[in-house]
Amino acid sequence: MSMNESAVPMDGCMVRIEGLRKSFGDLEVLRDVNLDVAPGEVVTIIGASGSGKSTLLRCINLLETPDAGHVWFEGSDLTADHVDVNGLREDIGMVFQGFNLFNNMDVLDNCTLAPVTLKKMGKAEAEAVALAHLESVGLADFAHAAPATLSGGQKQRVAIARALCMNPKIMLFDEPTSALDPQIVGEVLEVMRGLARDGMTMVVVTHEMEFARTVSDRVVFMDRGVIAEQGEPEQMFTEPAHPRTRAFLARYLRS
């Protein structure tokens, strides 16, 4: 992949995506996507399954490698050959649909593994930081529990605490509630609401429309690999301009 390494003015953006394209075989998943995310902004990405939402999110920290285009993070082009992607990833927290906890470690060790191995934080300091974040997600009493003994909602809250232990500048959430039973979705969304209130920069791929409507600063609607429309939640949920946005949101617009 040959990428232009020229600098780009960020104009106060934390993330800037330009001309992003990604295909899997003959399937073109992202087609010339452009998106900016400002510090402290909460951006939710909505759209039908297969519209490219998760692939776009995974391109922000290069879990997927773009075929073309650029992803800038605080002015550094992650797609440039000379960039230390692993170093920049330490500032980009990621929470997955499937938790991705290490079952052979207790909750506390899950949370301290990355700070100790990647940031060379001392074990005692890492544990103090981890316990504070576990406290913030309501799980301090489960520090020495095995992940297998936790509910799905508890596992996802541990996953959020684990990401926060790296003191990230931005948090990416890839459908963090879609694997959860409906009755425990709320406990994870409440943690995410708290992060938003505290000013965390967040990009959230979600099917939780109430969260998108009430917590977002901006809602992005993806359709067939492009951003069809984006705007403030009130505008998107009451007067969407694009016919496909209206069709997707029809059941929510009536509520």
Side-chain angles (χ1 to χ4, degrees), residues 10 13-17 35-37 60 71-73 170:
M10 295 298 287
C13 294
M14 182 176 288
V15 173
R16 170 160 290 171
I17 296 168
L35 181 68
D36 287 353
V37 181
I60 293 177
V71 180
W72 281 279
F73 175 65
I170 186 171

Side-chain angles (χ1 to χ4, degrees), residues 5-247:
E5 298 183 8
S6 61
V8 63
M10 295 298 287
D11 301 325
C13 294
M14 182 176 288
V15 173
R16 170 160 290 171
I17 296 168
E18 287 187 358
L20 203 63
R21 294 182 178 272
K22 178 65 179 178
S23 296
F24 297 103
D26 294 331
L27 179 63
E28 193 174 28
V29 180
L30 297 176
R31 301 183 288 130
D32 195 25
V33 172
N34 302 282
L35 181 68
D36 287 353
V37 181
E41 190 176 23
V42 178
V43 176
T44 52
I45 304 176
I46 63 173
S49 296
S51 59
K53 307 183 301 294
S54 290
T55 300
L56 172 58
L57 193 78
R58 292 168 66 87
C59 283
I60 293 177
N61 63 357
L62 258 61
L63 287 177
E64 299 289 355
T65 304
D67 296 328
H70 298 270
V71 180
W72 281 279
F73 175 65
E74 293 196 318
S76 295
D77 187 351
L78 299 186
T79 54
D81 293 337
H82 70 283
V83 166
D84 177 10
V85 173
N86 288 330
L88 288 169
R89 274 190 189 139
E90 293 181 13
D91 289 327
I92 304 174
M94 181 89 181
V95 177
F96 300 89
Q97 179 178 332
F99 323 130
N100 290 20
L101 300 178
F102 296 106
N103 287 321
N104 62 332
M105 301 178 180
D106 68 15
V107 164
L108 187 62
D109 285 343
N110 264 276
C111 292
T112 59
L113 179 65
V116 170
T117 57
L118 295 179
K119 287 204 164 179
K120 311 300 187 226
M121 192 184 290
K123 181 76 170 174
E125 181 186 358
E127 288 188 351
V129 169
L131 286 169
H133 286 302
L134 288 170
E135 177 76 34
S136 74
V137 301
L139 290 174
D141 292 343
F142 292 83
H144 296 294
T149 66
L150 303 180
S151 71
Q154 289 170 330
K155 288 178 182 177
Q156 196 59 293
R157 284 186 283 154
V158 170
I160 294 171
R162 178 180 61 179
L164 292 172
C165 285
M166 290 294 290
N167 193 27
K169 296 178 179 178
I170 186 171
M171 288 281 283
L172 310 179
F173 293 86
D174 189 5
E175 302 198 28
T177 60
S178 60
L180 302 179
D181 293 331
Q183 64 268 26
I184 56 178
V185 165
E187 67 188 50
V188 174
L189 293 180
E190 189 52 42
V191 170
M192 295 169 65
R193 286 189 182 95
L195 291 176
R197 286 193 296 268
D198 290 342
M200 174 63 74
T201 309
M202 298 162 62
V203 182
V204 184
V205 171
T206 186
H207 290 291
E208 300 291 339
M209 293 301 130
E210 186 62 21
F211 179 88
R213 189 170 190 166
T214 59
V215 181
S216 305
D217 296 301
R218 184 156 41 107
V219 177
V220 173
F221 172 66
M222 290 195 68
D223 181 58
R224 302 175 185 177
V226 300
I227 293 175
E229 186 173 357
Q230 59 180 303
E232 294 182 358
E234 195 57 30
Q235 177 260 315
M236 291 287 285
F237 279 91
T238 58
E239 298 179 9
H242 197 287
R244 295 191 68 85
T245 315
R246 288 198 295 272

